[in-house]
Amino acid sequence: MESTATDPFSQIITTLLKPLIFASKDNFAHLSAIKNIAELTQNLCQQALRLSISDGTMRRVRELQNIFVGFDSMTVDQKKDKITKAMEIIEGLKVKGERSMIKTLTPNTLHLSPDFEEIKTRVSRLSTPLRALKGIGTKLAEVFRKKGLESAEDILYWLPIRYEDRRKIKKISQLRFGAKEVASGEIMVMGEVFYGRRKIFEMSIGDGSGFLRLKWFNYKLPFMKRRYKIGQRLIVYGEVGIFGGQKDIIHPDIEIIEDGDELDSLHFNAIVPIYSQIGNIHQKTLRKIIRNIVDEYSSQVVGPVPKDILKRYSLLDLSDAIAEVHRPNMTPPCPPLEKGGGGEFNLRDWLPRKSLIFDELFCLETGLALKKGNTEKKDGITFSINSKLVEDFVKILPFKLTAAQDRALSEIKRDMAMPHPMNRLIQGDVGSGKTVVAFIASLIAIENNCQSAIMAPTEILAEQHYLNIHGYAESLGIKVALLTSNLTKSERTTILNCIKNGDINLAIGTHALIQEDVEFNKLGLVIIDEQHRFGVVQRALLKKKGANPDILVMTATPIPRTLAMTVYGDLDVSVIDELPPGRKPVKTKVYREKDREQVYNIVKNELTQGRQAYIVYPIIEESEELDLKDATKMSEHLQKDIFPNYKVNLLHGRMKAEEKEKIMKAFKAQDINILVSTTVIEVGIDVPNATVMVIEHAERFGLSQLHQLRGRVGRGGYESYCILLAGRVGSLDTYQRLKVMEDTNDGFKIAEEDLKLRGPGDFLGTRQSGLPEFRVVNLLTDASLLQKAREEAFKMLKNDPNLTLKEHAGLKEIVKMRWKGRMELAEIG
Ligand code: ADP
Ligand code: MG
């Protein structure tokens, strides 16, 4: 059937086009005459979608469908934009040529996962700025913005902190002491009263069954007087206490009941969500704003978790979960009645919340799995792992590899022999011998006519790697270069040329390696030391210097297993969990300020035996706010007053690189006996003659950091000591925390302890990790769900590596959007 202007589809579109043309005529002169355009458009598009139309057309109609939502509250410019955009879309429809026929739709097709265009439309709706919403003006939008809430979607994720069951509010006479309760009543009396010399604000509310006293120790009188009036009815929440035979609540949460409120199921006769305060917006107003947004936008939310997985875990669809959290039909856990009865009521286990958490974790793991799968699909270099160089090297090596080193090495070899690029992490405590393993991997690459690069986070470390390696390299006939920012221009040019033409087999360096002008002849293996210090960005930059080179990252910061799954989720992990034989564990002890004399004696004792010492401070220069012993001042004091017969020297991060190096060399050469420093020595310095380390203000460091520092001693055959000097006699907690260091030398155990005590921040390294930020997940409490989400995501991708199956339609897009802006994301493909 040749279509004409009278076919149903064209009719619909023409109907829609008319008001738009009218509105836009004469430079939008009739803009204000446009009424109910959103509704009209939605209806017409709905009708159009029931017709048999091509996929392309369907996409355009979908785009059109919601284009005018919120139109009435838009600015004139926004309205003009929308109309112009709509007309452009219609133009693209080429109405005349469309073949259309009425077609009955099976109900199923309506419930297919939304496609990409649809998702895009929804995402753009969800990102509607708050000020564009009804009832939110510029001022209110600003209050939200201060809390980081800028779009409708942000509000959807502003989750209630608790719920109040107001379906049947208890009589005051029934309130139980020690329980957190909701009560309601009328203000009988109020005002300031004196308890001895203490002034407090008090009011008494009654409900016919009894009286409840409300008390404030902190308050602003004018505010209280302005806000509350005798006769007003309140709904209050808090822990019920008793004082002088009278029930009371101190600093209650309060909502004022206004006429008609009791009929409003938003605030009454329902389980009511309570939100954490935003600016000075009253709870009721906040609840209303959020409810409006939830009503309008929650249905737009699309979650990445496929239906069959939701079903298997009995989880809610994301959009239902969001609606449910804000507008509960299922009963959420309201606060426990008994004091101590369960303590914090656990909302996280409540199905809608759990669904949100799973959703976020699944999305994260799908991203990681895609990334990993993508690497595995790429063509890499297939290395031949039978290497004469390695054989020769093992012969000249003065020690035997540990079993753990052997294991890591065979895992690396297996990866290198594969046709796709290796992406492996070696985790091993300080001194476990990662560098040797990495060097052997380099030898394999070099034997295969490829170059290798080692990137270290500091000049000192890069240099140390160079010094350790180049002796061996020379006897093996390998060319190694050190590339740091210390080089003169001509030195640099020479080295760059040699790297470019392939004369250099192994390049060791700092960030200098990822500068734009560094070109490799054929980079086959990239080794990144102390991965923790580099962002994902730098890792990717170095990788780009070659064509899909193998990647090996090394870290001495053991990461708790639960976190490793997220932080290094796209890497395979080898663990070197054994120290070379003969190492004596560092004897660690916590001392207090009063033991300082004793501590100095321990140091002196080592020095007289020809050993060296580190003394570490958390900061460089004294600052007025912080009563900390600063490195600069202390180093003078130590030299003059405590160790006049020894050479004391200062090293800190703000020194020039050359200066630092000079000092480090002098310390290594034993020209310096005591090195006073800030945490610059944390990473990788190797001076086997140093046997004692004193860490001042040890309480200021994380345990993992202390462990890293401690790794600087005990590197020779001597008995070594680590002294943790706790500054101002801290709390018992601090002391106990430091005691962990006395009990174990196991970096993994310490990391787990740190995780428990300080949370995941230390490990995730803020933005550095390149991971999306979590909105609902708490890695500490959600570890078991994380495990499940990971299994599911990886399983799904195993069956459908490119997410092309129908039931996964749109999934990739959602994941990409959530990972938006992260480096390497493009690689998800
Ligand atoms: P990491 O980089 O893991 O901190 P290194 O590779 O720097 O550790 O090794 C620390 C020291 O131990 C180095 O001096 C190294 O030569 C030595 N070493 C490495 N492996 C062994 C081993 N299997 N047996 C004895 N010493 C070893
Ligand atoms: Mg190292």
Side-chain angles (χ1 to χ4, degrees):
M1 182 182 86
E2 196 55 39
S3 68
T4 68
T6 54
D7 76 279
F9 183 78
S10 299
Q11 276 175 11
I12 291 171
I13 298 304
T14 316
T15 315
L16 179 54
L17 199 52
K18 269 186 205 152
L20 300 183
I21 293 174
F22 175 69
S24 61
K25 254 196 336 207
D26 307 328
N27 197 19
F28 292 94
H30 308 284
L31 195 59
S32 59
I34 294 291
K35 291 267 158 10
N36 300 331
I37 188 77
E39 209 177 311
L40 177 74
T41 311
Q42 278 177 324
N43 288 337
L44 289 171
C45 289
Q46 202 64 48
Q47 285 177 34
L49 287 171
R50 288 202 202 99
L51 304 170
S52 158
I53 50 179
S54 69
D55 283 358
T57 305
M58 192 179 297
R59 234 176 290 146
R60 290 204 176 86
V61 174
R62 289 229 170 98
E63 207 180 328
L64 208 51
Q65 191 170 12
N66 290 321
I67 199 164
F68 292 118
V69 169
F71 188 79
D72 294 342
S73 51
M74 285 179 193
T75 65
V76 170
D77 281 345
Q78 286 169 330
K79 286 181 174 174
K80 287 182 188 171
D81 272 2
K82 288 285 175 193
I83 291 178
T84 314
K85 180 86 204 297
M87 289 169 70
E88 275 168 20
I89 297 173
I90 293 174
E91 205 167 283
L93 284 170
K94 296 192 210 72
V95 169
K96 289 276 151 58
E98 185 68 42
R99 288 165 181 271
S100 316
M101 257 167 54
I102 291 184
K103 163 185 140 183
T104 39
L105 290 167
T106 56
N108 248 351
T109 38
L110 288 172
H111 289 103
L112 269 184
S113 317
D115 67 8
F116 183 37
E117 288 303 320
E118 167 75 14
I119 289 169
K120 259 182 30 193
T121 315
R122 290 190 184 190
V123 167
S124 86
R125 285 204 65 197
L126 286 169
S127 50
T128 308
L130 289 179
R131 73 189 126 60
L133 301 181
K134 233 181 286 162
I136 303 184
T138 323
K139 241 192 200 155
L140 210 48
E142 181 55 23
V143 178
F144 280 109
R145 201 192 54 78
K146 285 209 179 107
K147 281 272 184 188
L149 305 173
E150 307 198 35
S151 67
E153 186 179 27
D154 290 342
I155 296 289
L156 296 181
Y157 279 96
W158 189 253
L159 306 181
I161 45 170
R162 61 183 177 84
Y163 296 89
E164 284 181 14
D165 190 347
R166 297 190 188 165
R167 288 173 301 189
K168 197 159 178 273
I169 294 174
K170 270 191 192 159
K171 291 264 169 271
I172 289 175
S173 63
Q174 293 171 322
L175 298 180
R176 293 195 278 172
F177 305 123
K180 289 197 165 163
E181 300 264 41
V182 183
S184 172
E186 191 179 312
I187 304 181
M188 316 300 282
V189 286
M190 57 177 249
E192 277 187 305
V193 288
F194 284 88
Y195 280 84
R197 262 198 257 151
R198 184 133 203 200
K199 208 160 40 164
I200 71 170
F201 192 86
E202 240 185 45
M203 63 174 74
S204 195
I205 62 170
D207 67 350
S209 80
F211 298 99
L212 177 66
R213 219 169 252 175
L214 309 177
K215 296 177 180 172
W216 285 263
F217 294 98
N218 300 309
Y219 57 92
K220 292 209 173 75
L221 191 59
F223 172 81
M224 299 306 264
K225 283 186 164 160
R226 206 168 49 233
R227 182 154 165 74
Y228 301 109
K229 303 271 176 305
I230 289 184
Q232 227 168 19
R233 281 174 314 134
L234 307 178
I235 185 148
V236 303
Y237 168 85
E239 187 177 318
V240 179
I242 188 157
F243 187 82
Q246 173 93 83
K247 284 176 194 167
D248 65 11
I249 296 181
I250 293 163
H251 291 171
D253 287 1
I254 292 194
E255 280 178 40
I256 298 171
I257 305 174
E258 274 149 312
D259 288 344
D261 275 0
E262 274 136 317
L263 300 172
D264 187 345
S265 67
L266 180 59
H267 309 301
F268 274 94
N269 301 318
I271 293 177
V272 174
I274 309 290
Y275 295 95
S276 131
Q277 182 90 23
I278 295 182
N280 50 11
I281 306 173
H282 291 314
Q283 187 64 226
K284 260 165 52 183
T285 316
L286 184 60
R287 194 179 301 131
K288 194 179 284 161
I289 292 171
I290 295 178
R291 178 61 60 86
N292 284 340
I293 293 174
V294 170
D295 286 347
E296 190 171 348
Y297 288 93
S298 63
S299 63
Q300 298 298 310
V301 174
V302 198
V305 188
K307 296 249 180 318
D308 65 304
I309 297 179
L310 290 178
K311 213 158 147 196
R312 232 169 329 112
Y313 289 89
S314 312
L315 295 170
L316 301 180
D317 169 75
L318 182 61
S319 111
D320 293 340
I322 286 191
E324 188 65 31
V325 158
H326 292 283
R327 212 173 43 199
N329 293 310
M330 299 171 195
T331 311
C334 292
L337 288 175
E338 304 304 328
K339 196 175 187 175
E344 268 288 291
F345 37 100
N346 198 352
L347 272 181
R348 310 191 76 79
D349 288 337
W350 186 48
L351 180 61
R353 280 297 270 263
K354 203 170 124 191
S355 304
L356 289 180
I357 294 167
F358 190 87
D359 174 272
E360 201 166 36
L361 292 170
F362 185 81
C363 187
L364 167 80
E365 292 298 336
T366 306
L368 291 169
L370 276 168
K371 223 155 109 174
K372 189 155 187 277
N374 218 56
T375 317
E376 282 164 7
K377 273 187 314 229
K378 272 197 201 136
D379 291 332
I381 305 159
T382 307
F383 291 101
S384 153
I385 53 166
N386 295 318
S387 163
K388 175 89 180 18
L389 278 175
V390 176
E391 260 174 53
D392 292 347
F393 174 65
V394 172
K395 266 183 222 149
I396 56 172
L397 200 59
F399 48 77
K400 215 170 136 296
L401 293 185
T402 63
Q405 281 171 317
D406 271 333
R407 214 181 323 116
L409 198 55
S410 58
E411 285 163 352
I412 291 167
K413 281 182 182 167
R414 202 180 57 210
D415 286 358
M416 290 183 81
M418 297 284 203
H420 56 72
M422 165 166 78
N423 233 335
R424 183 167 286 278
L425 171 78
I426 310 183
Q427 273 199 57
D429 238 326
V430 191
S432 60
K434 298 181 290 293
T435 315
V436 188
V437 173
F439 183 59
I440 294 179
S442 292
L443 292 177
I444 295 175
I446 293 164
E447 181 107 27
N448 282 267
N449 295 317
C450 284
Q451 290 166 296
S452 169
I454 301 181
M455 179 160 76
T458 63
E459 308 266 334
I460 294 176
L461 255 183
E463 168 142 341
Q464 197 170 282
H465 278 314
Y466 177 77
L467 290 175
N468 285 342
I469 284 170
H470 95 133
Y472 291 121
E474 231 146 66
S475 43
L476 295 168
I478 288 172
K479 293 245 166 54
V480 187
L482 178 65
L483 191 67
T484 64
S485 45
N486 283 358
L487 300 174
T488 65
K489 210 163 176 191
S490 74
E491 284 171 330
R492 184 178 162 83
T493 315
T494 314
I495 292 181
L496 288 190
N497 279 333
C498 292
I499 294 177
K500 193 172 171 182
N501 65 25
D503 284 350
I504 298 289
N505 306 109
L506 172 60
I508 300 174
T510 55
H511 293 80
L513 277 176
I514 53 176
Q515 302 306 307
E516 235 169 83
D517 55 352
V518 183
E519 278 174 63
F520 284 83
N521 184 37
K522 190 177 183 210
L523 182 59
L525 174 66
V526 164
I527 296 164
I528 298 174
D529 192 12
E530 305 296 348
Q531 134 90 12
H532 213 62
R533 307 240 150 175
F534 291 108
V536 187
V537 179
Q538 285 113 321
R539 213 211 293 173
L541 280 175
L542 185 52
K543 199 160 97 183
K544 289 219 174 76
K545 301 271 176 204
N548 300 334
D550 276 8
I551 304 228
L552 192 60
V553 292
M554 307 193 282
T555 179
T557 312
I559 304 262
R561 260 163 261 281
T562 46
L563 293 186
M565 269 196 296
T566 28
V567 183
Y568 301 126
D570 58 331
L571 302 177
D572 297 302
V573 180
S574 294
V575 178
I576 302 185
D577 52 4
E578 179 185 0
L579 292 180
R583 293 272 170 82
K584 295 193 181 117
V586 178
K587 286 194 171 153
T588 304
K589 202 161 164 24
V590 183
Y591 288 88
R592 310 258 185 151
E593 187 54 43
K594 63 176 166 54
D595 312 316
R596 185 169 285 275
E597 197 72 18
Q598 199 186 337
V599 168
Y600 287 151
N601 284 333
I602 298 170
V603 175
K604 255 176 216 156
N605 192 35
E606 288 303 298
L607 295 176
T608 45
Q609 293 176 52
R611 303 286 84 78
Q612 289 162 281
Y614 294 104
I615 301 183
V616 183
Y617 295 89
I619 55 160
I620 306 168
E621 278 155 27
E622 199 172 21
S623 80
E624 279 179 63
E625 314 114 80
L626 292 169
D627 173 30
L628 298 176
K629 304 222 157 31
D630 65 291
T632 312
K633 212 161 159 193
M634 277 306 279
S635 110
E636 282 163 23
H637 164 67
L638 289 170
Q639 177 70 85
K640 221 170 71 204
D641 310 321
I642 315 288
F643 302 106
N645 302 325
Y646 294 96
K647 177 98 177 75
V648 179
N649 220 312
L650 177 67
L651 177 76
H652 63 69
R654 278 190 226 153
M655 286 174 167
K656 286 227 179 68
E658 306 106 75
E659 204 178 345
K660 275 192 265 187
E661 258 177 66
K662 218 178 76 200
I663 295 167
M664 271 322 297
K665 272 184 198 148
F667 188 61
K668 234 176 160 159
Q670 305 189 25
D671 295 336
I672 295 170
N673 307 101
I674 301 176
L675 191 65
V676 174
S677 82
T678 57
T679 47
V680 284
I681 56 153
E682 185 186 340
V683 181
I685 285 175
D686 195 11
V687 181
N689 190 50
T691 52
V692 57
M693 171 175 287
V694 179
I695 303 175
E696 296 250 17
H697 290 285
E699 76 282 358
R700 309 243 320 166
F701 297 91
L703 295 183
S704 291
Q705 207 181 2
L706 290 174
H707 182 62
Q708 291 263 314
L709 285 167
R710 176 168 67 179
R712 300 303 124 215
V713 291
R715 294 176 82 91
Y718 309 107
E719 186 83 68
S720 299
Y721 307 90
C722 175
I723 293 166
L724 304 176
L725 206 47
R728 205 182 293 141
V729 183
S731 63
L732 196 62
D733 278 358
T734 318
Y735 193 67
Q736 231 113 44
R737 185 167 73 90
L738 292 176
K739 282 279 188 192
V740 173
M741 299 296 297
E742 290 184 1
D743 299 337
T744 181
N745 261 296
D746 180 338
F748 281 98
K749 259 194 209 150
I750 287 168
E752 295 285 353
E753 206 61 40
D754 239 3
L755 177 64
K756 265 190 262 166
L757 292 164
R758 288 160 61 106
D762 279 12
F763 301 100
L764 294 178
T766 61
R767 261 154 237 279
Q768 235 197 28
S769 62
L771 295 168
E773 274 164 66
F774 294 123
R775 289 200 269 213
V776 283
V777 165
N778 172 350
L779 285 176
L780 222 45
T781 48
D782 302 329
S784 68
L785 265 190
L786 174 67
Q787 181 67 44
K788 285 182 191 143
R790 182 175 177 81
E791 280 163 23
E792 291 297 341
F794 277 75
K795 204 160 76 192
M796 170 183 76
L797 278 164
K798 208 168 163 212
N799 298 328
D800 183 14
N802 290 312
L803 295 179
T804 42
L805 291 179
K806 210 175 203 167
E807 60 264 37
H808 299 149
L811 179 55
K812 210 184 211 173
E813 273 67 36
I814 302 171
V815 172
K816 269 200 214 171
M817 276 171 204
R818 296 236 202 132
W819 277 67
K820 187 173 50 189
R822 317 282 152 176
M823 200 44 206
E824 285 188 310
L825 192 62
E827 292 185 30
I828 284 183

